[in-house]
Every structure is written in structure tokens, then in C-alpha cells.
Amino acid sequence: MVKMIAGNLEASKLKFCLVVSRFNEMISKGLVGGAEDCLKRHGVKDENVTIVWVPGAFEMPLIAQKLAKNYDAVICLGAVVRGGTPHFEYVASEAAKGIAQVSLQTGVPVIFGVLTTDSLEQALERSGVKSNKGFAAAQAAIEMANLGKEI
Ligand code: INI
């Protein structure tokens, strides 16, 4: 018989930290709203959610690393929007690599809720106007936190 394991979405006893980029702050605030909505709807208590603001997505990995041990999952939220220079590539790729590395090093799920878009319009669409990547990131955090305990 096949054994199947999937993380459940029960979150009333879990603790989360949101690491949020102040760069493109309006987008970030939309993502935070989506993440908070998701956590609340899955039973997470207000006192079990901490929000830490960082200057930009590039700074997320270090702060996530310092925080990880105190939480069931860390959710990184922000937006890297393509400009006319290669800066976008460096910031987006270091944020993605760093976040993955922190997750593997600490064993704590660190979720990549960072939009990487070609325009501000695309980022707006994905931070509440049409959909909300923050909500999806929080849901992934709950699932991964529970999956880590179940395996
Ligand atoms: N940081 C972001 O979070 N998003 C961006 O779009 C962005 N761009 O395009 O420059 C950005 N840059 C700042 C970067 O994350 C660092 O804060 C900065 O380089 C200082 O280390």
C-alpha cells in the first residue's frame, strides 16, 4: 500500500515571522495583508505572528537566518521589479538563493513570497488587485511547518 504524507493546514498552535521588504512598500503592504488574512483564517493567533521590516529583498536572508530558530516558519514578502539596469537580476537572484540556503541550513521552512515582475503593474496585480502572493506564501508556510513535523 502506498503511504502518502501531505502537510495539513491546521495552524492554531504555530508561530510565524514575516520578513518584509520596505522597497516597493505599497506592494509589500498588499502581500502582508494577504498573508495575515491567510494565517488568521487558518487559526493562527495574533500573538504568534511577528512582522520584521528590512530595507530590501537583498537583506532578507540574513534576517531570516537570525529569526528562523524561534518560529515554525518564516515568510519572506516583497517585490523585485525589473528596471532598466541589471540590478534586478542581482537582487532577485541573491534573495532567492539566500532564502533557499537559510531554509536548508536551519531546517526551518523559509518561504519565498517575493514577486519578481517586469512591471509595477504586474506586481500590483499579484499583491491584491487580482491575486495575492502573500496569501499563497502563508499557506505554503503552514503546509511546510506541518509537513516538517509529520515526516
Ligand atoms: N529591493 C527590492 O526589494 N526590490 C527591488 O525591486 C529593488 N530594486 O529594484 O532595486 C531592491 N533593491 C534594494 C536591495 O534589495 C537592497 O536593499 C539594496 O541594494 C541595499 O543592499
Side-chain angles (χ1 to χ4, degrees), residues 31-150:
L31 297 171
V32 169
E36 286 187 309
D37 181 31
C38 177
L39 295 177
K40 213 165 266 180
R41 287 211 237 162
H42 285 92
V44 180
K45 298 183 185 75
D46 279 354
E47 65 262 31
N48 287 338
V49 180
T50 304
I51 302 178
V52 178
W53 288 87
V54 294
F58 190 85
E59 282 74 32
M60 288 173 169
L62 173 65
I63 299 305
Q65 188 183 49
K66 286 179 180 286
L67 291 161
K69 65 178 183 303
N70 298 320
Y71 296 92
D72 293 295
V74 176
I75 305 163
C76 296
L77 299 174
V80 189
V81 179
R82 193 182 290 279
T85 71
H87 194 67
F88 165 95
E89 319 285 348
Y90 291 107
V91 174
S93 114
E94 289 310 310
K97 267 192 286 172
I99 287 168
Q101 209 177 328
V102 171
S103 203
L104 293 172
Q105 275 171 359
T106 60
V108 175
V110 182
I111 305 300
F112 186 64
V114 179
L115 295 167
T116 56
T117 62
D118 287 328
S119 67
L120 213 48
E121 189 187 355
Q122 286 177 346
L124 275 168
E125 284 175 359
R126 291 159 178 77
S127 58
V129 173
K130 285 188 179 171
S131 61
N132 197 314
K133 172 102 178 162
F135 191 103
Q139 197 165 300
I142 296 170
E143 184 173 346
M144 285 297 291
N146 284 327
L147 186 56
K149 296 181 202 300
E150 284 165 33

